[in-house]
Amino acid sequence: MPVCVYRVTKYDPDHRDEHGRCTGPEDTVSDRGPVEAAYLLAVAAFAEESGIDRPVIREPQVPSLAHFGAEPPVDGFGLTGLFPPGRGGAPQVPPGSPMAGSTTLIPAGFHDGAEVSLQVGLELVRSMLRDNGAWCRLEVEDRFTVHVGWDHYLYVGSDRPCERALALTRRLGLFPERLDSSPYALETDVEGVRRPADDAFWSGLRRMVSAYGAGVLEERYVEGTVECVRQDADGHVRSVFADEDSFPALTARLSGAAAVAVLPLTADERVPLFTGVMPDAERPALGPPQGASPGQIVTGTVTHIASFGVTFVDIGGFEAMINIPELSWRHVEQPSDVVSVGEVIEAEILGVEFLPERVSLSLKALRDDPMRLLTGQIGRRLVGPVTKVLPFGVVVRVEEAEDGFEGLVHISELADEHLAGPDITLRAGDALPVRIVDVDLPRRRIVLTNRRVVARE
């Protein structure tokens, strides 16, 4: 991996507690504006200083086929327009499945090892910042890497110090920090035990197919002489040795087996190459509760609040999780400010992932959004305290409470004359008259002006 790795964020280091959690006013979703543009400019600067103009896609991931065309196109959504449609046509969908009748096409260029232009790479970064349905690593061997993490934590690696890119990143109002490595780095030289296709694996796969109407398994070749252990329908376990010439006949035998394991002959390599175990009907169901789906209301007990801010909730024998932004519509410093261990809560299921098995919940989805009240106050004049000064403007609190909503006064709305970042003379705590210009609920953004308040007076 590259020797110089930096975590680039919009979160001021002064606004983090001893556990690294952000406690400041910065939003955890994309503003689709100057902050997002700053991220892209920073990545472009690191790439240019590293001599990279053709990054490579690694480990591409998508949550479901819906993001490839089953839903109506949305401007700026996912992979739309970045890659040509797949050459293989629409995947086969079982009749009666949720995807039946769709004409979904897989983009031809979004695959592991695909080399793309820097511009396409930047658009992929933009899509990941917006959480638009696709994720991947952008890498060039040991020379350059870009990984986009949760809540706008971006990790850039280079084989060079990239001093000019670092200076530009700081001027853009972002905060680069040197790290030993990216948490999303793929350790390809570490030998690990592959997960066997046991009953938990197949149970999760069945739930995924039931939910999405399709499933994809990666197939690997088994070479040389192997030992095949199978459990036949009569319950007997049998073993047979086979080489490549007898694989076709072996396949026919395995088709009726209840369980199969294919093992190499060398004793110290007996990590299963492939294991298939039919689920035990009498064993309790593993993974998310049957029927769990987005939008469902569930009741659970808070079991644990992790040091990194995630709240775990038992929803019938399975631990679901709530990320900090989903606890409240307002800014939350600690999950314990909202919930406590042992408390019984109601929450809405945001998403269900089957491989790996994970259920994400939202507490705030069952509460009225207090920001909605501000939509009726567009045009209102008020005086609020400046809470943060940025290179491109200032943040002002528009409600009296300490956790009150805050809005941005862009630098162009501070004065009639042109200002640059260093020209801003305001400081945190200063009172500033502002007028509410817009309240964007989906983006959690409040737009303010100072210039137009003064002009009217």
Side-chain angles (χ1 to χ4, degrees):
M1 297 303 292
V3 295
C4 299
V5 179
Y6 304 95
R7 177 172 63 187
V8 177
T9 75
K10 59 185 179 182
Y11 307 114
D12 191 326
D14 292 338
H15 293 169
R16 297 181 201 162
D17 61 18
E18 65 275 13
H19 302 293
R21 293 190 297 264
C22 178
T23 60
E26 298 90 350
D27 207 338
T28 57
V29 298
S30 174
D31 71 336
R32 303 197 177 198
V35 177
E36 177 183 272
Y39 273 107
L40 298 183
L41 287 172
V43 172
F46 277 100
E48 179 181 0
E49 196 164 348
S50 301
I52 302 299
D53 60 1
R54 302 285 296 179
V56 176
I57 293 174
R58 291 298 184 193
E59 300 291 321
Q61 300 175 19
V62 290
S64 73
L65 297 174
H67 292 288
F68 287 131
E71 297 180 359
V74 178
D75 183 30
F77 181 81
L79 307 179
T80 304
L82 289 183
F83 301 98
R87 301 184 184 89
Q92 296 298 314
V93 180
S97 76
M99 299 292 294
S102 68
T103 56
T104 297
L105 295 178
I106 305 299
F110 190 64
H111 60 81
D112 190 71
E115 185 179 282
V116 297
S117 67
L118 180 57
Q119 186 58 42
V120 169
L122 293 176
E123 289 303 315
L124 285 172
V125 172
R126 185 196 304 275
S127 180
M128 288 185 277
L129 289 171
R130 296 183 180 187
D131 195 17
N132 270 357
W135 188 88
C136 67
R137 299 179 180 88
L138 293 174
E139 301 182 349
V140 179
E141 299 176 339
D142 292 333
R143 296 174 53 200
F144 182 71
T145 59
V146 179
H147 304 149
V148 179
W150 291 97
D151 295 342
H152 288 130
Y153 282 87
L154 186 140
Y155 303 87
V156 182
S158 176
D159 59 351
R160 309 173 189 179
C162 296
E163 297 294 344
R164 293 194 303 275
L166 284 170
L168 174 63
T169 301
R170 295 186 181 97
R171 290 199 301 272
L172 290 168
L174 302 177
F175 302 93
E177 303 169 78
R178 182 70 180 268
L179 299 179
D180 293 332
S181 64
S182 164
Y184 295 88
L186 183 63
E187 299 292 342
T188 57
D189 57 345
V190 177
E191 289 294 332
V193 177
R194 298 169 186 161
R195 175 184 178 180
D198 54 14
D199 48 355
F201 172 88
W202 290 110
S203 178
L205 179 61
R206 284 205 319 275
R207 288 193 296 273
M208 184 178 71
V209 172
S210 175
Y212 298 118
V216 178
L217 291 177
E218 181 180 358
E219 187 175 284
R220 295 180 181 270
Y221 285 102
V222 178
E223 300 179 342
T225 302
V226 297
E227 179 185 4
C228 176
V229 181
R230 73 183 189 278
Q231 181 182 15
D232 290 336
D234 58 8
H236 290 91
V237 176
R238 295 179 171 86
S239 172
V240 63
F241 293 94
D243 58 20
E244 296 180 18
D245 294 334
S246 56
F247 280 176
L250 179 64
T251 303
R253 288 190 183 186
L254 300 183
S255 63
V260 174
V262 180
L263 306 171
L265 290 182
T266 308
D268 59 358
E269 293 180 358
R270 280 184 174 269
V271 176
L273 298 177
F274 174 81
T275 303
V277 180
M278 296 300 291
D280 185 347
E282 297 180 359
R283 182 173 298 179
L286 301 174
Q290 293 292 332
S293 60
Q296 180 181 349
I297 309 302
V298 294
T299 301
T301 303
V302 177
T303 59
H304 177 60
I305 298 177
S307 59
F308 49 88
V310 173
T311 302
F312 292 92
V313 182
D314 185 328
I315 54 171
F318 182 86
E319 276 200 332
M321 58 184 179
I322 308 178
N323 287 316
I324 284 184
E326 293 301 327
L327 286 172
S328 172
W329 290 105
R330 297 185 181 276
H331 174 71
V332 174
E333 292 189 0
Q334 304 283 351
S336 56
D337 295 338
V338 181
V339 294
S340 58
V341 174
E343 181 181 355
V344 177
I345 63 172
E346 277 194 342
E348 180 178 315
I349 296 180
L350 287 183
V352 180
E353 299 179 39
F354 297 101
L355 296 173
E357 294 168 336
R358 182 166 58 192
V359 174
S360 54
L361 305 177
S362 174
L363 196 62
K364 73 178 185 182
L366 302 182
R367 309 285 188 270
D368 291 332
D369 182 1
M371 183 180 283
R372 191 176 299 277
L373 298 175
L374 294 179
T375 59
Q377 300 183 30
I378 294 177
R380 172 191 165 203
R381 180 194 180 282
L382 58 97
V383 177
V386 174
T387 61
K388 190 172 184 181
V389 179
L390 304 169
F392 47 84
V394 297
V395 177
V396 176
R397 187 183 303 132
V398 297
E399 293 182 312
E400 293 184 3
E402 287 190 10
D403 63 348
F405 289 115
E406 298 175 334
L408 175 68
V409 183
H410 192 267
I411 193 169
S412 61
E413 293 295 327
L414 282 175
D416 290 329
E417 66 275 10
H418 174 73
L419 292 178
D423 298 328
I424 299 177
T425 58
L426 292 167
R427 295 292 180 265
D430 290 351
L432 186 68
V434 297
R435 192 180 302 277
I436 300 176
V437 176
D438 185 37
V439 178
D440 190 334
L441 290 176
R443 298 182 185 179
R444 315 302 297 168
R445 184 171 65 181
I446 301 172
V447 181
L448 306 174
T449 179
N450 166 257
R451 179 175 58 85
R452 281 179 266 180
V453 171
V454 175
R456 291 191 183 186
E457 295 176 350

